[in-house]
Amino acid sequence: MISITEILKDFPIFETKIHGKRLVYLDNAATTQKPRQVIEAISQYYETRNANVHRGVHYLSEIASEDYEEAHNKVAKFLNAKGMEEIIFTRNTTESLNLLAYSLGLNELEKGDNIVLTRFEHHSNLVPWQQMARRQGAEIRFIEMTEDCRLDLASAEKAIDDKTKVVSITHMSNALGTIIPVKEVSKLAREHGAYMIVDGAQSAPHMPVDVRELDVDFFAFSGHKMLAPMGIGGLYGREDILEKMEPFLFGGDMISIVSFDNATWNRLPWKFEAGTPNVSGGIGLAVAIDYLGKIGFDKIHYIEHELTEYAHERLNELSFIKIYGPEPKYKGAVVSFAMDGIHPHDIASLLDEDGIAVRAGHHCAQPLMKMLGTDSTTRASMYFYNTKEDIDALVESLQKIYKLFS
Amino acid sequence: MSSMYRQLIVDRYKAPLFKGKLDNADIHFHDANPLCGDEIEVFVRLDDEGKIKEAKFDGTGCAISQASVDLLLEGIEGMTPDEVMGLDADFIKEMLNIPLTPVRLKCALLGLKVLQAGILIHKKKQEAGES
């Protein structure tokens, strides 16, 4: 078992002082900090192995290609995919979802079809589908949210029908933390022959994901929310579907034979990776996955759940705080809240003056915020390197802020 | 570091001096910052010489945007609309005298933007009336 002190030593950022104070980083749903192992892997790649992949026959190009392919294998194991042919590297979840919206939207979506989403979606799993629905004359439907901010499965049965071509849902709400019962929804998608897509940006960093156990066709995620660098993310896709699917981006590396008039496509997964890829990002992602494996998701879940329960307990002591979202047992390590008479931007600015980083705003979920009757909330989101002292610092600072304004 | 929330800002947010509405305002405009939901509506009455006689605002939002517009309306009394059009971000920064990050500067400038948009509309109406 690795102790929290040892873990913290792996993250150089915690040596940085914010306005002369200790950094209390509670903005992990936006992006996580990077362990030194990941940072070193990236610089080591550029210092000793840098070359373009799948091009040259020279030594560096071959080992860069090998490392890059190995990173795909690592992600395949991480998600329990069959192999690297099912793993496409992208920039992030947004790009993965756009790949699907464009490829499935332009080639398979027909007038009168419907696309089913939830009320919890991040703009990245809403706006691409809105655009495709508008272009193809399809309808967008929503699985509703219950009063206690969970997924209303009964409404899923109404929303998904034989005209449903795509069901695309988040695995965990970035704004509220709600965990979505993907498997139950997936069953309904299967019954009606729809593609089942999961936005795993918030789940992959925090819980074990088994795409075969979840029985989904696609699973999108971002590296930077799980210790890896920004600019690398991925998409799992079922091999038989990817084989038939049209590419999203065209150009170098994704082709097999090109003439002036025509082109054929490369084998999987390269058919979906046009242009020079983010090799150092892929290598960093592989090291991040190793790091998560070393800690273990059991321990990650244990730490995060304890922190979430503790945060709820401490914040509920404050009469001027209102928490949005479900009880801790139904969510990940996200606490979204409002404070009587004080705007989230003021809260976040004042917390920042105490070295505490949180997110204030609509969390890229404007329609959801509107449903909750607000424009914005303050959100504290935790990872396994946070401690109860971080929550205490947050609570103490919130008390000071309330006093300043009353 | 010095706080963005010096006492004057907090006081003018909690108890603004220029909050309210004006009937028959010469200049009137309403706008919002969609990113944070801050909203400001300004009302201005001019005197016979065309100078600002009275100004009020209504709105919701963060302390920076609301205190900033309250202080701005205090500062523009007696100015002509053209003089207000000449005010810029530096004027607001000097007026608030707090360390503003780029994101929060947008909050601070919302009131001035709404006021200047209202003045432009007023001028267009006047021109249309004259011609």
Side-chain angles (χ1 to χ4, degrees):
Chain A
M1 272 287 206
I2 307 162
S3 73
I4 188 77
T5 331
E6 281 173 79
I7 290 173
L8 285 173
K9 267 194 238 154
D10 283 337
F11 291 80
I13 194 103
F14 292 116
E15 284 157 31
T16 304
K17 294 275 173 280
I18 308 298
H19 312 307
K21 308 227 168 74
R22 174 175 87 87
L23 165 63
V24 175
Y25 189 76
L26 296 172
D27 196 16
N28 293 288
T31 198
T32 61
Q33 297 303 340
K34 318 304 173 199
R36 120 190 100 66
Q37 289 86 336
V38 168
I39 300 166
E40 279 167 10
I42 297 162
S43 40
Q44 208 231 2
Y45 166 74
Y46 279 120
E47 283 171 13
T48 64
R49 302 158 92 84
N50 177 54
N52 212 331
V53 293
H54 301 152
R55 308 283 199 285
V57 289
H58 60 78
Y59 175 76
L60 286 179
S61 176
E62 278 185 4
I63 49 172
S65 302
E66 249 172 58
D67 286 353
Y68 188 61
E69 292 188 9
E70 189 42 42
H72 284 70
N73 276 319
K74 186 113 344 164
V75 172
K77 276 200 197 100
F78 180 70
L79 299 175
N80 196 29
K82 277 196 310 193
M84 80 166 186
E85 60 281 357
E86 294 190 319
I87 303 299
I88 300 156
F89 279 4
T90 62
R91 278 192 301 138
N92 46 37
T93 308
T94 298
E95 188 175 298
S96 298
L97 293 168
N98 271 276
L99 185 160
L100 295 171
Y102 273 91
S103 181
L104 298 175
L106 292 179
N107 300 299
E108 299 210 29
L109 202 61
E110 287 166 15
K111 201 172 157 52
D113 285 346
N114 66 66
I115 299 162
V116 175
L117 314 173
T118 76
R119 295 286 184 197
F120 297 93
E121 302 315 323
H122 186 282
H123 295 161
S124 63
N125 194 31
L126 170 63
V127 181
W129 299 116
Q130 279 175 348
Q131 293 304 309
M132 276 307 145
R134 197 166 299 163
R135 191 185 293 214
Q136 306 296 94
E139 177 198 353
I140 297 212
R141 294 180 178 177
F142 293 94
I143 306 175
E144 297 298 334
M145 177 172 74
T146 62
E147 262 179 39
D148 57 347
C149 298
R150 294 162 60 196
L151 191 78
D152 180 2
L153 266 173
S155 83
E157 286 181 35
K158 270 182 247 160
I160 301 169
D161 62 20
D162 287 341
K163 294 299 271 176
T164 305
K165 186 65 64 72
V166 169
V167 176
S168 188
I169 64 172
T170 182
H171 202 176
M172 174 177 148
S173 158
N174 70 305
L176 300 176
T178 308
I179 291 170
I180 304 298
V182 163
K183 214 177 157 181
E184 275 73 15
V185 180
S186 169
K187 254 182 233 155
L188 294 169
R190 289 277 171 260
E191 280 169 26
H192 296 282
Y195 289 114
M196 181 67 200
I197 300 169
V198 176
D199 165 1
Q202 298 294 338
S203 64
H206 303 279
M207 58 179 89
V209 171
D210 180 334
V211 290
R212 283 187 270 183
E213 156 71 17
L214 287 173
D215 193 21
V216 298
D217 298 318
F218 300 97
F219 185 94
F221 70 97
S222 294
H224 74 93
K225 291 187 200 288
M226 45 183 281
L227 312 178
M230 290 182 179
I232 188 77
L235 176 67
Y236 155 81
R238 229 177 64 195
E239 189 184 5
D240 57 320
I241 301 173
L242 290 179
E243 284 291 357
K244 282 181 279 174
M245 242 170 85
E246 289 296 321
F248 161 51
L249 296 171
F250 301 88
D253 206 28
M254 56 78 64
I255 47 77
S256 175
I257 296 164
V258 181
S259 70
F260 279 115
D261 306 315
N262 209 359
T264 56
W265 312 141
N266 201 343
R267 67 189 163 89
L268 292 175
W270 319 119
K271 169 178 149 187
F272 290 96
E273 291 192 20
T276 294
N278 181 356
V279 179
S280 71
I283 289 167
L285 175 60
V287 176
I289 288 173
D290 282 341
Y291 192 93
L292 289 172
K294 203 174 71 180
I295 310 275
F297 275 118
D298 283 349
K299 180 160 179 164
I300 291 171
H301 176 77
Y302 178 80
I303 295 172
E304 291 184 359
H305 188 66
E306 288 266 292
L307 286 172
T308 309
E309 283 200 317
Y310 185 66
H312 267 241
E313 190 187 306
R314 293 293 326 265
L315 289 173
N316 280 330
E317 286 165 13
L318 309 176
S319 59
F320 50 86
I321 295 275
K322 180 188 174 196
I323 296 177
Y324 287 94
E327 289 302 305
K329 63 175 166 181
Y330 299 119
K331 72 175 183 180
V334 168
V335 184
S336 223
F337 60 91
M339 207 162 158
D340 283 351
I342 311 177
H343 195 279
H345 278 172
D346 294 325
I347 299 170
S349 283
L350 282 157
L351 288 174
D352 175 63
E353 290 179 7
D354 279 340
I356 304 168
V358 297
R359 168 89 189 262
H362 52 59
H363 317 297
C364 298
Q366 284 179 21
L368 173 62
M369 289 289 126
K370 201 156 228 170
M371 275 183 83
L372 296 168
T374 182
D375 290 313
S376 57
T377 68
T378 306
R379 179 188 72 187
S381 54
M382 284 79 78
Y383 211 13
F384 59 85
Y385 44 59
N386 287 117
T387 61
K388 286 190 176 171
E389 284 73 42
D390 293 342
I391 308 293
D392 290 338
L394 171 72
V395 169
E396 197 183 309
S397 190
L398 288 173
Q399 281 169 314
K400 221 167 68 184
I401 293 166
Y402 187 67
K403 225 161 138 195
L404 175 70
F405 276 85
S406 57
Chain B
M1 97 168 191
S2 63
S3 176
M4 210 185 279
Y5 295 82
R6 64 189 179 102
Q7 200 57 48
L8 176 69
I9 305 291
V10 176
D11 288 348
R12 293 298 281 268
Y13 171 65
K14 277 163 35 184
L17 302 178
F18 292 83
K19 195 152 181 176
K21 293 185 180 193
L22 291 176
D23 292 332
N24 307 318
D26 298 297
I27 294 161
H28 173 219
F29 194 61
H30 179 194
D31 205 1
N33 178 348
L35 283 178
C36 53
D38 285 5
E39 269 186 66
I40 289 176
E41 185 174 11
V42 289
F43 307 84
V44 177
R45 271 199 210 136
L46 304 173
D47 64 16
D48 298 340
E49 294 169 38
K51 286 183 178 166
I52 292 168
K53 190 170 80 179
E54 205 182 358
K56 294 268 184 202
F57 81 98
D58 198 19
T60 54
C62 69
I64 304 296
S65 74
Q66 304 297 304
S68 177
V69 68
D70 198 54
L71 289 163
L72 173 67
L73 297 192
E74 181 175 16
I76 59 167
E77 232 177 84
M79 282 188 185
T80 63
D82 282 335
E83 282 170 328
V84 174
M85 290 308 290
L87 302 178
D88 58 9
D90 288 337
F91 172 84
I92 298 289
K93 281 193 226 169
E94 216 166 287
M95 174 188 88
L96 295 174
N97 189 27
I98 51 173
L100 284 167
T101 58
V103 173
R104 300 315 303 277
L105 179 63
K106 285 196 189 124
C107 308
L109 292 177
L110 181 61
L112 180 63
K113 269 178 52 190
V114 175
L115 179 60
Q116 289 178 334
I119 290 172
L120 283 177
I121 292 167
H122 169 70
K123 286 175 110 179
K124 266 193 194 150
K125 270 191 203 156
Q126 267 192 326
E127 280 161 22
E130 277 164 15
S131 61

